[in-house]
Amino acid sequence: MSAGVWSRLRWWVEEAWNRHVGYRELYRQLDRMRAELKARTAWMDDLTEEELAEMLHGLAECIDAVRATGGEAPDRREGAA
């Protein structure tokens, strides 16, 4: 095996390993985010159908109100408080 082929093979293996390590960390982060989301929304499992329907109705009303006032908000320049 020539030095050039060996060098390319070593580079390819290093790149594959780095991708593997990077993806492994991304999957760990994704697992943590899923667990956090599940913990934050666990209380929803205890809601009755009526409570869920009421909550969704209230959410829809809130979204409609925000959309209705969206055009009335004053324009703000970028970076202005």
Side-chain angles (χ1 to χ4, degrees), residues 9-66:
L9 179 61
R10 189 181 66 172
W11 175 85
W12 182 82
V13 169
E14 286 176 9
E15 288 295 313
W17 177 254
N18 290 338
R19 276 193 305 276
H20 166 72
V21 170
Y23 289 144
R24 189 173 54 192
E25 180 56 32
L26 289 174
Y27 283 120
R28 283 188 191 127
Q29 290 175 1
L30 183 59
D31 287 341
R32 284 192 301 268
M33 291 174 72
R34 284 181 181 151
E36 290 171 6
L37 179 61
K38 189 174 182 179
R40 281 186 272 158
T41 59
W43 61 273
M44 293 180 75
D45 293 337
D46 297 331
L47 295 176
T48 64
E49 290 294 321
E50 293 81 23
E51 290 170 328
L52 283 172
E54 183 180 337
M55 191 169 77
L56 287 175
H57 178 74
L59 180 60
E61 286 180 355
C62 182
I63 290 171
D64 291 341
V66 168

Side-chain angles (χ1 to χ4, degrees), residues 1-12:
M1 187 178 299
S2 71
V5 172
W6 176 250
S7 178
R8 285 192 302 274
L9 179 61
R10 189 181 66 172
W11 175 85
W12 182 82

